[in-house]
Amino acid sequence: MEKRRVVITGMGAVTPLGNSVEETWNAAKQGKSGVGLITHFDASTFKARYAGEVKNFDPAQYMDPASARKMARFSQYAVAASKMALTDANLLDRSEILSNAGIFMGVGIGGFEVTEDCCAKYLASDQHKCPPMTIPELIPNEACGNICMAFGIHGPAHTVTTACSSGTDAIGDALDFIRTGRRDVCLAGGAESTINGFGIAAFEVLHALSTSFADNPTAGSRPFDKKREGFVMGEGSGVLILEEYEHAKKRGAHIYAELAGYGGSSDGYHLTAPNPDGVCGAAAMTEALCDAGIKPEEVQYYNAHGTSTHINDPSETKMIKNSFGEENARKLHISSTKSMTGHCLGATGAVEAIFCIKAIEDSFIPPTINLDEPDVEGGCDLDYTPNKGVECNVDCAMSATFGFGGHNGVIVLKKVK
């Protein structure tokens, strides 16, 4: 059976760079950082005292206050990004379409601040009591549940939990649902918020976080740089409206780009570290290219996972070379937008898919900031667009995400012609 074409007709975002797609993208184009000292809780006793927090977010702009009070932050961000995406796609009031739409959300962890708060109350209670909304707020699938309730969505609602590749894998799953004719419209993306004491402490003990830049937090996330030492925690949500091409054309929808391919693999190597040889990650890239019918030399922009950790960045560089070939890899424009947003975990794949779409739309490659001295000796020797974005025609872009447990997810996006 011939694959049905799938396009993006709406986008919404809540990120450390802004509470909309345009705010986020404009900040990224200018190389601004969304990282600062943590304000969500008192982090003065932590080594990692900075993060990419969402700022000035008012849930009342996107949902009624009574509903917001029953949601963890990740769910609030997801509902807000979904409302933006549906509005952007002119679907917010199209109940005849939304009632049958599907939804696929990537959430790596869920309501971590709820877990922390409710466990503390349980341990402090002589009767071992928990707040009534403990489970409904903390479980990862509640982002999907709250979106469905908010917008009258009654199709399949799937939550994908594959650590940092969750958002990308959710988009890949939605792609297959539309391609095979099971749905014409799907919401797909990711959401996460783990900036609380429990979350920071849990990642800090793994030596995964950047800790040496409390005096200059915006310099903490520095992918591919010699002074990188760990990732900076981020948070937020990105949501895309995926739609079958003919369905979108028939209703006169604005089409941003085509979601052309998806590839996935598993390292089967280590619980937290990627396989340093980069073979399995490269296999996911190659699969995504084959699925899209795209040759490596046809890709202009690669949005890197680029976490700013000692192991990820050279391993990812090997993946790119293994999949694209040395010559094509050296011609590729690469950047890690995590240098500006921090690492948004389950949301990161969706947010970075939006960066790819905007790169295609604006013919612009966003920079990798804080890349002052590339770690060439350590294996980071490609063009990572250091510190300043560049104008460049982008017909095709790839976004790759790699998660704890060895999950690898890759998507390919291209201009609609």
Side-chain angles (χ1 to χ4, degrees):
M1 184 176 70
E2 185 178 350
K3 295 177 182 176
R4 302 203 308 168
R5 296 176 68 186
V6 179
V7 295
I8 290 92
T9 58
M11 300 185 289
V14 176
T15 79
L17 294 177
N19 295 331
S20 70
V21 169
E22 289 306 316
E23 284 182 15
T24 296
W25 175 239
N26 288 335
K29 287 179 72 174
Q30 296 171 51
K32 292 184 177 180
S33 173
V35 176
L37 292 175
I38 291 172
T39 64
H40 285 345
F41 70 100
D42 181 3
S44 59
T45 60
F46 288 74
K47 292 180 180 179
R49 299 196 294 276
Y50 45 94
E53 294 181 331
V54 168
K55 304 161 190 71
N56 304 314
F57 177 76
D58 180 6
Q61 294 183 14
Y62 313 99
M63 65 204 80
D64 68 89
S67 296
R69 285 194 294 271
K70 297 176 182 177
M71 299 183 202
R73 277 201 304 265
F74 81 100
S75 286
Q76 292 180 354
Y77 297 159
V79 171
S82 296
K83 186 172 185 178
M84 293 179 213
L86 290 168
T87 301
D88 187 34
N90 290 318
L91 287 174
L92 192 61
D93 299 319
R94 297 293 299 273
S95 59
E96 77 282 6
I97 294 175
L98 288 185
S99 62
N100 195 45
I103 177 166
F104 296 78
M105 286 295 294
V107 181
I109 295 174
F112 236 18
E113 83 277 12
V114 178
T115 302
E116 178 184 51
D117 180 61
C118 293
C119 283
K121 290 176 178 176
Y122 165 78
L123 293 171
S125 168
D126 292 336
Q127 291 80 34
H128 303 300
K129 291 184 177 180
C130 288
M133 291 297 293
T134 299
I135 296 300
E137 288 185 11
L138 71 85
I139 52 179
N141 70 293
E142 284 307 308
C144 268
N146 281 302
I147 293 167
C148 290
M149 288 186 287
F151 305 112
I153 296 170
H154 301 292
H158 294 187
T159 298
V160 179
T161 301
T162 50
C164 307
S165 62
S166 298
T168 300
D169 290 336
I171 293 169
D173 288 351
L175 170 66
D176 285 343
F177 251 67
I178 296 175
R179 273 181 170 174
T180 57
R182 299 186 68 177
R183 288 296 180 276
D184 290 326
V185 176
C186 286
L187 285 75
E192 202 80 88
S193 179
T194 60
I195 304 174
N196 58 79
F198 184 32
I200 297 297
F203 280 98
E204 191 178 272
V205 76
L206 292 174
H207 304 288
L209 299 180
S210 172
T211 61
S212 300
F213 294 88
D215 292 335
N216 185 18
T218 60
S221 182
R222 42 195 324 108
F224 308 107
D225 187 78
K226 269 190 175 182
K227 293 183 180 179
R228 73 188 186 281
E229 57 168 9
F231 74 82
V232 172
M233 189 71 75
E235 64 176 353
S237 178
V239 174
L240 306 177
I241 306 300
L242 272 54
E243 194 165 350
E244 193 272 326
Y245 177 61
E246 295 297 337
H247 186 277
K249 281 180 61 180
K250 185 176 180 180
R251 71 179 189 87
H254 174 73
I255 295 174
Y256 286 101
E258 181 172 354
L259 179 58
Y262 166 78
S265 67
S266 175
D267 282 1
Y269 173 75
H270 192 273
L271 284 175
T272 60
N275 192 327
D277 67 15
V279 171
C280 293
M285 295 178 190
T286 300
E287 182 182 10
L289 289 170
C290 290
D291 188 41
I294 296 290
K295 297 176 181 178
E297 59 268 26
E298 295 178 279
V299 180
Q300 289 82 33
Y301 176 48
Y302 174 91
N303 186 288
H305 190 54
T307 57
S308 184
T309 60
H310 289 296
I311 299 176
N312 176 89
D313 297 358
S315 173
E316 185 169 13
T317 300
K318 285 183 181 178
M319 295 177 199
I320 297 168
K321 292 177 180 178
N322 287 342
S323 179
F324 283 79
E326 186 84 22
E327 183 179 352
N328 290 322
R330 296 202 174 279
K331 295 177 182 177
L332 192 61
H333 291 281
I334 303 165
S335 69
S336 172
T337 45
K338 287 184 181 69
S339 61
M340 297 175 278
T341 63
H343 190 352
C344 301
L345 304 185
T348 199
V351 171
E352 289 163 13
I354 291 171
F355 283 132
C356 285
I357 294 163
K358 295 301 291 184
I360 291 170
E361 185 179 44
D362 280 9
S363 299
F364 189 85
I365 310 295
T368 303
I369 67 169
N370 301 319
L371 183 48
D372 301 326
E373 188 177 1
D375 186 14
V376 175
E377 296 84 357
C380 302
D381 60 350
L382 297 177
D383 177 7
Y384 308 107
T385 319
N387 295 313
K388 187 176 181 180
V390 296
E391 293 184 0
C392 172
N393 179 64
V394 181
D395 289 322
C396 185
M398 174 183 284
S399 177
T401 51
F402 314 114
F404 279 6
H407 301 288
N408 306 310
V410 181
I411 56 173
V412 172
L413 299 130
K414 68 178 185 179
K415 280 183 181 176
V416 174
K417 296 181 179 180

